[in-house]
Amino acid sequence: MASFTAAKTHILPLIPAPASTRRWAPSITVSVSPSPASTRHIALSRHVLPPKSNFTSNFRVSCSSRESIPSKHSPSILRFLVSPKCIAIASVAGIIFHLATPVLSKIISLPFIGGGGGGSGYKGSGGSGSGGSGGWQGDDFWRFLSPEAVAKDDDPQQEWDSHGLPANIVVQLNRLSGFKKYKLGEIIFFDRRRGTTVGSEDFIFEMVSLRPCGIYTKAQLQKELETLSTCGLFEKVDLETMTNPNGTIDVKIPFIESTWQGADMFRCINVGLMEESKPIEMDPHMTFKEQREYLMSQQQDYIMKINASRPCLLSTPVQKEILMMLKEHGKVNPRILHKIRNRVQQWYHENGYSWATVVNFGNLNTKELVCEVAEGDITKVAIQFQDKLGNVCEGNTRLSVINRQLPSQLSSGQVLNIVAVKEALRNINSLGLFSNIEFNPRTDEQNAGGIILEIKLEELEPMSTEVSTEWSIVPGRGGRPTLASIQPGGTISFEHRNIQGLNRSLLCSINTSDFLNPQDDLAFKLEYVHPYVDGIYNPQDRTFKASCFNSRKMSPVFTSGLRIEEVPPIWVDRMGLKANITENFTPQSKFTCGLVMEEIKTRDESSHISANGQRLLPNGGVTADGPPTTLSGTGIDRLVFLQANITRDNTRFVNGAIVGDRNVFQLDQGVGIGSRFPVFNRHQLTVTKFLQLLDVQGAGTPLPPVLVLHGHYGGCVGDLPNYDAFTLGGPYSVRGYNMGELGAARNILELAAELRIPVRNTHAYIFAEHGNDLGSSKDVKGNPTKVYKRVGYGSSFGIGAKLGSVRVEYAVDHNSGTGAFFFRFGERF
């Protein structure tokens, strides 16, 4: 009858952590047949943790100890050994030997001092060390008698024990003392098949938890050897130690790598959230038939596991690349498995799946190699609110508001992706409700391979008031400022955010340059924002906004050109109501439509209503017979019109530089309600491209050079009030000119190009711009461009640098051929 011996169970951990910290218990299915073409399946039960987490493992260690040998000594001998006389003789002998040690150490070699009747004297076990059945440890004996060792034992700073043995000798693991803590020197892996020493950069070093200069006991070293023996990567592995003169020991690990037959197919599966199968140990007393049935059932269980698993996210090109690696390499060994693991995990991490890890390889010794990946499946998304001290508290914001901002990829059952986490962080931050936002993925202890995504939020105060002051000192009589002439100005704002926890807000602000006489230039704004018009659970993101306002700005239409002196300005007061609905397609792209009702008044420097612009007379006087300021001709207009705006913005930041496209189209449509029943169509199109000229990646790299191309067109058909005419010139039109210095027209075209070059943590740039009224200045009532002697077109070029939020520029205008320095705040595009 043929005899059969089941092969030892093997496990194949890919990145084992220290044996003292492993926690996942591998269950192995081994299928072995008596025929030469054996098939082996290796599967691991595991708790999958994110990268850089400690994996822990509980291994069952069965140790066989020798049966105790009955003592052959008679009771009389035992009574003699414990008699006072024997104890006294032993004490005197110990003292004499202790005093004679310095002399003896020069005559007699140390290894024989602690020895017994046979063996080397380091650890007598059954006669090998001291000849007794108990095995007195010779090294402990020498340590007890050595003055140096006694001094070391008395040193409270000593954290490890010297081996107490001669230097440069090989000591087997079972010869070490179980009572000492050994400090390791060098760790050496020796490949017996190749006859060479493995370098420290080899992946084999990842298999051990031992580290140079670490302190370990004999039990820990034995545990490490057991882990290496059962990991499945080695056919044979040993652990030897070599003593050093400084009291430390070097560890040498001779090994022979395992090999399996070549594979013609490659398969990658996601084993996350799969139930762990509890392995049933094979009874050594099974018959050959029972053993074969057992192994076949294990084989069938593994096949069922593969069929029940989900397809992995690994791309097809990478799978084909791995298949080519297998065909080129031939036989499968741990090194090719290590390369495959690195390539698979590299793809996952490059695509944002930072918690994915290869946990096992199955179907070894078959034509199809199976790679098992725990991709990091989300089992739960937990939202917590915290106070300023970090304690968990009850939040005001409804969870449905936060859940709306989470992309679908951050829901239960999806694979955790760092790109989706960053998107969720931006979305939640755009709400403006939280002062601190944290995303903390952690292992789900209840579901193997699962991840719980914790979102910790610290809310802002629901109500806030801000006061900012500005003091303007105006000269009094004689040119000297007095206390009465000091004008206090500033802004007072009040905000009530997150009303009813639904992100609704109410904002009120008042601004004036003189709080003592606010009627001169008082500006206010009261705004109410109501998001989620279609319901909090409706995926359509539409927001209703209503506001009433009052503002005053100087009109650039009534501005002098280069050829005449500066004329008195015209101020435009606007007061009205505005209501619109905005639909957000993305956090940056949106569509807005609404209704605007406003009253416009044009005033002179004395705040009197002015129906016409002012001109300077040759004698230096001022006359108010310039172009009309309003559509009605009275200085007061009342208008009702529709307004729409669509923005497509896919810009993003690359190391702090903006790249991408931004397109904006705005339309104002008069409906015939208001002064002189105005009907008009005013439209604007702005196209801006930020072209990245050099690909830079990674943190710490400089800003990439960027070429900015910009174009703006504005046109109007129908009734056009002069205060709404398009103007040319200024920091956001054609740089190098004042606001409206080039002209006012019905139709305009602006072109600009800017090359941004990185300099340290900011950028310098060169630019060129051109603006043209397309010959439409004469179509504006009263032709302000001609009256104020403006040319209607102009170009400029210059250089600049971005210093924080300030732009420092030197621009040259072509019309006059002169240049000047400018300091601007904010961005040009």
Side-chain angles (χ1 to χ4, degrees), residues 423-472:
E423 180 183 353
L425 180 61
R426 289 193 299 268
N427 294 347
I428 296 177
N429 188 55
S430 66
L431 296 175
L433 302 177
F434 307 102
S435 59
N436 185 49
I437 305 171
E438 294 180 8
F439 283 76
N440 298 323
R442 64 177 177 86
T443 305
D444 188 351
E445 301 293 343
Q446 305 297 326
N447 299 283
I451 291 177
I452 297 178
L453 181 61
E454 291 184 344
I455 304 176
K456 299 180 180 180
L457 306 171
E458 181 180 333
E459 292 181 307
L460 292 169
E461 293 294 333
M463 296 184 185
S464 62
T465 303
E466 295 183 2
V467 178
S468 60
T469 58
E470 299 175 359
W471 293 85
S472 300

Side-chain angles (χ1 to χ4, degrees), residues 309-371:
S309 64
R310 294 170 293 163
C312 67
L313 299 174
L314 188 66
S315 65
T316 302
V318 176
Q319 296 193 38
K320 291 182 179 179
E321 177 186 341
I322 294 174
L323 186 58
M324 292 298 298
M325 293 170 55
L326 288 171
K327 292 181 178 179
E328 292 175 0
H329 197 273
K331 288 189 176 182
V332 177
N333 60 22
R335 298 186 182 277
I336 187 62
L337 295 180
H338 179 74
K339 292 181 180 179
I340 293 174
R341 181 208 69 176
N342 288 346
R343 184 65 187 95
V344 172
Q345 293 189 161
Q346 177 187 2
W347 181 89
Y348 274 98
H349 296 169
E350 288 177 350
N351 288 272
Y353 302 100
S354 302
W355 285 264
T357 180
V358 177
V359 295
N360 191 38
F361 287 100
N363 269 10
L364 299 174
N365 259 358
T366 66
K367 292 296 183 180
E368 181 184 50
L369 178 65
V370 177
C371 177

Side-chain angles (χ1 to χ4, degrees), residues 554-562 725-731 733-734 737-745 750 784-785 788-792:
M554 188 176 69
S555 173
V557 175
F558 307 94
T559 303
S560 60
L562 293 174
F726 298 104
T727 58
L728 291 171
S733 176
V734 181
Y737 300 90
N738 294 325
M739 293 283 292
E741 185 178 340
L742 292 177
E750 298 172 352
T785 300
Y788 297 111
K789 298 182 180 182
R790 294 175 288 189
V791 295

Side-chain angles (χ1 to χ4, degrees), residues 4 6 101-102 127 148 162 219 289 387 492 505 611 631 673 722 787 821:
F4 176 84
T101 294
E148 294 84 357
S162 174
K289 181 179 180 180
D387 57 19
I492 300 176
S505 62
L631 190 63
I673 302 176
N722 280 4
V787 170
F821 281 96

Side-chain angles (χ1 to χ4, degrees), residues 246-508:
N246 60 358
T248 63
I249 60 174
D250 292 339
V251 172
K252 182 178 181 181
I253 304 176
F255 66 91
I256 299 177
E257 287 184 347
S258 300
T259 56
W260 301 276
Q261 73 176 65
D264 299 331
M265 294 179 290
F266 176 78
R267 184 175 181 181
C268 183
I269 60 175
N270 180 12
V271 295
L273 302 183
M274 294 187 66
E275 295 184 2
E276 300 181 16
S277 58
K278 297 182 180 180
I280 303 176
E281 295 185 358
M282 184 188 303
D283 190 348
H285 302 292
M286 287 183 179
T287 63
F288 176 80
K289 181 179 180 180
E290 291 174 339
Q291 290 176 352
R292 184 163 185 172
E293 290 177 352
Y294 168 80
L295 296 176
M296 289 183 65
S297 66
Q298 296 291 313
Q299 167 86 5
Q300 190 65 27
D301 291 344
Y302 188 73
I303 294 175
M304 293 176 61
K305 175 184 177 181
I306 294 178
N307 295 334
S309 64
R310 294 170 293 163
C312 67
L313 299 174
L314 188 66
S315 65
T316 302
V318 176
Q319 296 193 38
K320 291 182 179 179
E321 177 186 341
I322 294 174
L323 186 58
M324 292 298 298
M325 293 170 55
L326 288 171
K327 292 181 178 179
E328 292 175 0
H329 197 273
K331 288 189 176 182
V332 177
N333 60 22
R335 298 186 182 277
I336 187 62
L337 295 180
H338 179 74
K339 292 181 180 179
I340 293 174
R341 181 208 69 176
N342 288 346
R343 184 65 187 95
V344 172
Q345 293 189 161
Q346 177 187 2
W347 181 89
Y348 274 98
H349 296 169
E350 288 177 350
N351 288 272
Y353 302 100
S354 302
W355 285 264
T357 180
V358 177
V359 295
N360 191 38
F361 287 100
N363 269 10
L364 299 174
N365 259 358
T366 66
K367 292 296 183 180
E368 181 184 50
L369 178 65
V370 177
C371 177
E372 300 180 8
V373 182
E375 296 180 328
D377 299 270
I378 301 175
T379 57
K380 183 181 179 182
V381 178
I383 300 175
Q384 293 182 356
F385 294 96
Q386 295 181 334
D387 57 19
K388 295 181 180 180
L389 299 178
N391 301 318
V392 178
C393 64
E394 184 177 355
N396 179 49
T397 308
R398 298 192 186 183
L399 296 181
S400 53
V401 173
I402 301 170
N403 289 328
R404 286 181 60 96
Q405 309 304 320
L406 302 180
S408 58
Q409 201 169 354
L410 289 186
S411 58
S412 180
Q414 298 293 324
V415 178
L416 185 59
N417 187 286
I418 190 65
V419 177
V421 172
K422 292 180 179 179
E423 180 183 353
L425 180 61
R426 289 193 299 268
N427 294 347
I428 296 177
N429 188 55
S430 66
L431 296 175
L433 302 177
F434 307 102
S435 59
N436 185 49
I437 305 171
E438 294 180 8
F439 283 76
N440 298 323
R442 64 177 177 86
T443 305
D444 188 351
E445 301 293 343
Q446 305 297 326
N447 299 283
I451 291 177
I452 297 178
L453 181 61
E454 291 184 344
I455 304 176
K456 299 180 180 180
L457 306 171
E458 181 180 333
E459 292 181 307
L460 292 169
E461 293 294 333
M463 296 184 185
S464 62
T465 303
E466 295 183 2
V467 178
S468 60
T469 58
E470 299 175 359
W471 293 85
S472 300
I473 302 178
V474 181
R477 294 181 180 180
R480 296 181 180 181
T482 61
L483 182 62
S485 66
I486 298 178
Q487 298 179 359
T491 302
I492 300 176
S493 61
F494 168 78
E495 182 178 8
H496 186 183
R497 62 175 67 89
N498 204 13
I499 301 173
Q500 296 182 348
L502 292 172
N503 197 22
R504 300 168 185 172
S505 62
L506 182 65
L507 174 66
C508 179

